[in-house]
Amino acid sequence: PLGAVLRKTSVDELPQLINVLRGEMSIVGPRPISAEEIAAYGAKINDYFAARPGLTGVWQVSGRNNVAYEHRVALDSDYVQNWSLVRDVVIIARTIPAVIKADGCY
């Protein structure tokens, strides 16, 4: 039960701040993927590898697990290809309500 609450509120992701401080992750970027997920990115995997994984990202504020995986890939690719500081600020601002709402989180 405690783990479910931690997962639903994304508190379990706070240790990733250490990775941000180490320079291994950024605040905003494509969410980390597993080795098994690489194949799902197909030709767009180069876009994924062109950016550091982020603590938050466009997928996280766009419905998370309620979004088809193909759409997640498209979101990540678009984020990398059209990166801007303003867009990062918007994603950060949208992250707080997304985490509170816990929509698409399980």
Side-chain angles (χ1 to χ4, degrees):
L2 178 60
V5 171
L6 294 175
R7 178 66 237 137
K8 187 169 183 150
T9 60
S10 297
V11 172
D12 63 324
E13 295 179 14
L14 287 179
Q16 291 179 356
L17 285 173
I18 295 168
N19 299 80
V20 172
L21 294 173
R22 288 182 180 162
E24 299 166 354
M25 290 180 74
S26 62
I27 298 292
V28 181
R31 292 292 296 145
I33 61 173
S34 66
E36 294 81 23
E37 293 173 286
I38 291 173
Y41 273 72
K44 294 185 179 187
I45 194 63
N46 291 328
D47 289 335
Y48 177 82
F49 286 135
R52 281 192 189 119
L55 188 60
T56 189
V58 67
W59 169 75
Q60 191 161 5
V61 299
S62 299
R64 291 159 101 169
N65 292 311
N66 291 335
V67 173
Y69 203 87
E70 297 79 23
H71 188 62
R72 175 186 177 169
V73 171
L75 289 169
D76 286 347
S77 180
D78 180 70
Y79 170 81
V80 172
Q81 292 179 17
N82 299 296
W83 178 88
S84 76
L85 182 58
V86 171
R87 191 173 188 190
D88 276 3
V89 171
V90 169
I91 291 169
I92 291 168
R94 289 179 58 199
T95 296
I96 296 165
V99 168
I100 291 170
K101 189 174 160 187
D103 189 34
C105 186
Y106 49 83

